C-alpha cells in the first residue's frame, strides 16, 4: 500500500468507505474515509463521501461542515448541494435547505434527488400540492430511478 501514490491510496480508501457505507457499517466507513482525507484533505469528493458517512452516523452538523468545504472547492456540485439540503432539513433548517435545493435545481433542473428532497420539505411545511408536484415531476423526468421509487412511495403515503 505504501508504494502507491497518495492520491491512488485515497481513491482506494474512498471506495472501501463507500462499500462499508453500503453495508451499513458507518463506523468502518468513517475510519476509511478519514484515512483518505488524511492523504487528500481538500478533495471535494472525499469531503462529500465523509459527509454521507457523518449523516449515516446522525452527525448532520458535521455533514453540513464537510459539504460546505466540498462546495468551496466545487461550487457547482448539485449532488453536494442536495446532500447539504438534506442535512439542513434534518437539523430543522428548512430555509437553508430550500436555498441549496434552488441552487442545485438551477444547475440541473431534472435532478431527481433535489426534487424528492424539495417535496419532503414542502410536505413538512404543509404544502401538499407542491410536494405532490415535485414527486410527480421526479417520476416524469427520472422514471425507473431510485428517486422515482421514493417519489412513488411518498405519493402513496400522502394521497387521501
Amino acid at each position: 500500500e505504501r508504494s502507491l501514490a497518495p492520491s491512488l491510496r485515497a481513491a482506494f480508501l474512498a471506495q472501501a468507505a463507500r462499500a462499508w457505507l453500503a453495508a451499513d457499517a458507518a463506523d468502518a466507513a468513517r475510519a476509511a474515509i478519514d484515512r483518505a482525507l488524511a492523504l487528500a484533505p481538500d478533495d471535494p469528493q472525499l469531503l462529500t463521501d465523509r459527509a454521507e458517512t457523518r449523516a449515516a452516523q446522525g452527525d448532520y452538523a458535521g455533514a453540513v461542515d464537510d459539504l460546505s468545504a466540498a462546495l468551496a472547492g466545487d461550487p457547482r456540485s448539485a449532488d453536494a448541494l442536495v446532500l447539504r439540503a438534506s442535512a439542513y432539513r434534518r437539523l430543522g433548517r428548512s430555509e437553508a435547505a430550500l436555498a441549496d435545493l434552488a441552487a442545485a435545481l438551477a444547475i440541473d433542473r431534472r435532478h431527481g434527488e433535489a426534487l424528492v428532497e424539495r417535496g419532503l420539505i414542502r410536505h413538512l411545511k404543509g404544502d401538499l400540492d407542491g410536494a405532490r408536484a415535485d414527486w410527480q415531476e421526479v417520476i416524469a423526468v427520472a422514471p425507473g430511478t431510485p428517486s422515482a421509487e421514493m417519489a412513488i412511495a411518498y405519493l402513496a403515503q400522502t394521497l387521501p
Side-chain angles (χ1 to χ4, degrees):
E1 173 184 323
R2 295 289 176 218
S3 63
L4 297 175
S7 62
L8 190 55
R9 288 198 336 251
F12 285 139
L13 288 163
Q15 283 183 329
R18 285 189 287 278
W20 283 119
L21 200 54
D24 290 326
D27 291 341
R30 176 68 185 268
I33 201 65
D34 282 346
R35 287 181 58 206
L37 277 163
L39 298 168
D42 298 320
D43 184 290
Q45 184 57 55
L46 294 178
L47 289 162
T48 300
D49 290 345
R50 185 170 67 182
E52 289 186 73
T53 302
R54 283 181 158 181
Q57 294 175 312
D59 179 9
Y60 301 113
V64 166
D65 290 344
D66 278 345
L67 290 162
S68 296
L71 286 160
D74 183 8
R76 297 209 29 95
S77 173
D79 292 338
L81 285 162
V82 173
L83 289 170
R84 189 169 70 175
S86 179
Y88 278 142
R89 175 178 51 84
R90 287 176 167 86
L91 292 169
R93 297 180 58 195
S94 62
E95 296 310 314
L98 287 170
D100 276 357
L101 292 169
L105 289 166
I107 294 165
D108 179 0
R109 179 66 194 110
R110 300 166 61 106
H111 197 291
E113 290 92 357
L115 292 165
V116 169
E117 187 67 34
R118 189 173 70 182
L120 284 171
I121 293 169
R122 285 178 165 177
H123 185 265
L124 289 171
K125 291 172 101 36
D127 179 6
L128 300 185
D129 290 338
R132 285 188 192 115
D134 279 340
W135 296 331
Q136 288 167 342
E137 186 175 351
V138 173
I139 295 164
V141 301
T145 64
S147 295
E149 291 174 19
M150 284 190 293
I152 289 167
Y154 289 134
L155 281 168
Q157 291 172 7
T158 60
L159 291 176

